Amino acid sequence: MSQRKLSRQQRWRVEKVQAERVKRAEKREQTDQRQLAEGEYGPEQLGRVVAHFGRNMEVEGTDGVRHLCHLRANLDTLVTGDRVSWREASDGSGVVEARLERYSTLERPDARGRLKSVAANIDRIMIVFAVEPEPHPFLIDRYLVAAEATGIAPALVLNKMDLLDEHHALHALASRYRTLGYPVIGASTRRDGGLEDLIAAMDDTTAVFVGQSGVGKSSLIDALLPDESLAVGELSVDSRKGRHTTTTARLYHFSQGSGALIDSPGIREFGLGHLDEQQIENGFIEFRPYLGHCRFRDCRHRLEPGCAILTAAENGEILPERLESFRRIVHELNAPPR
């Protein structure tokens, strides 16, 4: 009997919370309609979300001025990078009327494994790695698979070039990815001209930086945006892994050129649990010419006879390290939850 009573209380609380949310939304919508009727809002105009905080966000108008806005009650939450239609209020704030269609969305699973959008209308994912902390090719491969799944073009940024001599193993790693067709851009914040190639690669695009903590994402952004104030985390002395410093995704414009950058919260790994094996296969771009040519339709590319992927690897057309990365990702994908 006590369990039944508790369930009723829980349902009552949930219904009460939902009713209060609906009431607040309706009140907000009525206020917006009244202000619109009274001429407190100007005409609709185009803008872009440059930062968001739940139901509130900063919207940049076509004139470059930023305004604190809220959403119409019937709109879903927006993310940084969204292009919107909005109205400016008489006090300089505003209301977002509609979200325009996205041409790309960057998503990652949350703690419960549900996909969550973190940025929109991205042209390029810049995967940053460096001499310290020690780069892991498997992690780079995970980022590349995740980028390929989104349809957003990836590029690799080899940071802290000033710490590398000509014989460092990272040069061979960079060459591996160049051979696959991925751009690899050297960068250094401590060398004159060390950011010129990076700036050129991001011109006329909206980019986002991802990578292990401590590889220098915030330091790069700080150097690229000298007029902005960004928190930069030091490497942990014990683990040599960086501390996350960014909390809210925000869009910045470069002082040179027409590029923009969205600084997103630090990500140690891209979760790939939402992808199936076919998407993982397609995420390895050198596999694509051979997919569908295996003897068996359900080939797992391990020991099966007539496997086109294994034959390509034996012929040197697929690197063994990349094939091992593929197998490791698939193994993790199929592993039972702990």
Side-chain angles (χ1 to χ4, degrees):
M1 180 67 68
S2 61
Q3 181 65 36
R4 182 180 179 184
K5 183 177 181 181
L6 179 61
S7 297
R8 287 178 176 175
Q9 288 177 340
Q10 289 174 333
R11 287 197 299 269
W12 177 80
R13 288 172 182 169
V14 170
E15 292 172 355
K16 182 179 180 182
V17 170
Q18 291 176 338
E20 288 176 349
R21 288 178 178 173
V22 171
K23 186 176 181 180
R24 286 197 300 267
E26 290 176 346
K27 185 176 181 181
R28 176 72 262 181
E29 183 67 20
Q30 290 172 358
T31 301
D32 287 340
Q33 292 294 341
R34 177 185 58 77
Q35 291 175 320
L36 181 61
E38 294 176 357
E40 294 185 32
Y41 284 128
E44 285 194 46
Q45 54 183 307
L46 298 180
R48 192 173 191 187
V49 177
V50 295
H52 73 95
F53 319 95
R55 302 291 295 181
N56 296 313
M57 65 212 64
E58 284 185 43
V59 173
E60 183 178 77
T62 55
D63 57 0
V65 178
R66 299 184 175 187
H67 305 261
L68 183 62
C69 298
H70 65 270
L71 283 172
R72 286 286 192 193
N74 60 340
L75 292 181
D76 293 332
T77 300
L78 304 179
V79 297
T80 301
D82 269 323
R83 300 186 183 280
V84 298
S85 173
W86 68 289
R87 295 178 186 271
E88 183 178 356
S90 56
D91 62 359
S93 64
V95 57
V96 175
E97 298 280 355
R99 188 197 79 193
L100 306 186
E101 184 177 358
R102 295 170 176 170
Y103 61 79
S104 69
T105 306
L106 180 63
E107 299 177 314
R108 59 186 175 98
D110 61 16
R112 298 184 179 181
R114 298 174 300 187
L115 282 179
K116 179 181 179 181
S117 299
V118 294
N121 300 317
I122 304 297
D123 300 299
R124 176 159 284 187
I125 296 175
M126 314 300 288
I127 303 169
V128 184
F129 65 109
V131 62
E132 191 180 62
E134 180 183 358
H136 299 286
F138 172 65
L139 183 56
I140 295 174
D141 290 337
R142 289 176 63 93
Y143 279 115
L144 288 171
V145 169
E148 294 290 346
T150 66
I152 303 173
L156 299 176
V157 180
L158 177 50
N159 194 23
K160 307 181 184 181
M161 287 289 292
D162 53 289
L163 301 179
L164 303 183
D165 60 42
E166 60 181 4
H167 303 295
H168 199 284
L170 271 186
H171 292 295
L173 184 62
S175 179
R176 175 196 303 181
Y177 291 107
R178 286 194 182 99
T179 301
L180 293 173
Y182 290 113
V184 181
I185 306 150
S188 172
T189 60
R190 300 187 178 184
R191 179 184 296 173
D192 290 341
L195 299 178
E196 291 179 356
D197 292 342
L198 184 57
I199 292 173
M202 294 189 293
D203 191 37
D204 200 28
T205 67
T206 297
V208 61
F209 282 13
V210 299
Q212 290 175 273
S213 294
V215 295
K217 299 187 298 295
S218 292
S219 295
L220 281 174
I221 297 170
D222 190 55
L224 291 166
L225 304 165
D227 296 331
E228 303 288 348
S229 177
L230 301 175
V232 178
E234 297 293 336
L235 286 175
S236 166
V237 174
D238 294 332
S239 66
R240 305 307 292 168
K241 294 180 180 179
R243 301 187 181 96
H244 298 307
T245 57
T246 312
T247 57
T248 301
R250 181 174 288 274
L251 184 145
Y252 301 92
H253 295 285
F254 295 124
S255 57
Q256 299 178 353
S258 56
L261 183 143
I262 293 180
D263 185 26
S264 62
I267 304 171
R268 289 190 183 272
E269 292 187 13
F270 254 110
L272 300 178
H274 61 290
L275 302 182
D276 57 32
E277 287 194 33
Q278 184 176 1
Q279 290 173 305
I280 301 296
E281 287 177 339
N282 278 288
F284 287 81
I285 57 176
E286 69 271 41
F287 287 17
R288 293 175 183 173
Y290 311 102
L291 295 177
H293 296 284
C294 296
R295 181 184 301 178
F296 302 105
R297 182 173 298 178
D298 59 348
C299 184
R300 305 295 299 278
H301 317 308
R302 289 190 175 275
L303 298 174
E304 297 89 344
C307 174
I309 297 295
L310 293 180
T311 300
E314 292 170 358
N315 294 335
E317 295 164 342
I318 292 176
L319 293 175
E321 296 88 350
R322 290 274 289 175
L323 181 57
E324 181 58 30
S325 279
F326 164 75
R327 290 170 173 168
R328 184 175 169 184
I329 291 174
V330 170
H331 176 75
E332 289 186 357
L333 182 68
N334 295 325
R338 295 180 179 179

